[in-house]
């Protein structure tokens, strides 16, 4: 749920910077462990022939793989509303700011009511469903999106940490360590974004 980091932070009882840094770091390390183990086992099993979606490399009639695919589908279904909510919130905020610039502050009375939320939700669901139904192969899109996801996993959290450190009272040593971690996170995310995006674009060409 790295895309929902802001919502998760808002739902926490203890919103201290130290607690949030611990939660986000442990989550990141957990994701890195799972992803790394999945990639290593896929490469050891199939070598260079492993599919980008590792489940596609296994036979479809294997009971364990069927369970894995069902669990993966459940995770996608449960994450979809969170991503939809966040994406719709961004579009609503853009709508609110646009109305404010065009019509003045009175346009902010209720610019994000049901008459805005419902069309945005229908549009979002329709577009994603149409892509899933009519695009023959989503691997190219997933490859490009995979590079963009480094912004949400590394770059944006690193920038938020650097900004938060500047306003939170803390010891100089702790502040220096957190700033260094934020810089490393941004640099690592930039590298991953560049490498994966270039690889995806080269595959398309």
């Amino acid at each position: 749920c790295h895309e929902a980091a802001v919502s998760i932070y808002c739902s926490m009882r203890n919103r201290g910077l130290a607690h949030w840094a611990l939660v986000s770091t442990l989550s990141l390390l957990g994701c890195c462990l799972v992803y790394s183990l999945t990639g290593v086992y896929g490469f050891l099993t199939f070598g260079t022939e492993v599919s980008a979606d590792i489940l596609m490399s296994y036979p479809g009639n294997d009971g364990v793989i069927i369970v894995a695919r069902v669990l993966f589908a459940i995770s996608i279904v449960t994450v979809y509303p969170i991503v939809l909510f966040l994406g719709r919130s961004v579009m609503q905020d853009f709508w609110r700011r646009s109305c404010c610039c065009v019509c003045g502050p009175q346009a902010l009375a209720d610019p994000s009511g049901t008459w805005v939320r419902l069309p945005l939700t229908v549009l979002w669901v329709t577009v994603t469903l149409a892509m899933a139904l009519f695009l023959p192969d989503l691997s190219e899109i997933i490859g490009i999106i995979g590079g963009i996801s480094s912004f949400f996993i590394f770059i944006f959290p690193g920038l938020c940490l650097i900004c938060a450190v500047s306003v939170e009272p803390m010891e100089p040593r702790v502040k220096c360590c957190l700033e260094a971690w934020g810089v490393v996170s941004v640099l690592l995310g930039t590298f991953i974004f560049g490498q994966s995006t270039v690889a995806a674009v080269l595959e398309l060409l």
Side-chain angles (χ1 to χ4, degrees), residues 146-200:
I148 297 175
S149 66
S150 64
F151 277 90
F152 301 102
I153 301 174
F154 295 103
I155 297 177
F156 290 155
L159 292 175
C160 289
L161 178 60
I162 294 172
C163 294
V165 165
S166 63
V167 297
E168 287 278 342
M170 63 184 63
E171 297 180 2
R173 183 178 299 178
V174 176
K175 182 177 182 179
C176 182
C177 292
L178 291 177
E179 286 179 341
W181 175 254
V183 171
V184 170
S185 179
V186 171
L187 293 177
L188 180 61
T190 303
F191 171 77
I192 294 175
F193 168 73
Q195 187 271 338
S196 57
T197 303
V198 169

Side-chain angles (χ1 to χ4, degrees), residues 39-52:
V40 168
Y41 277 103
F43 183 77
L44 291 178
T45 304
F46 302 104
T48 57
E49 300 300 320
V50 64
S51 173

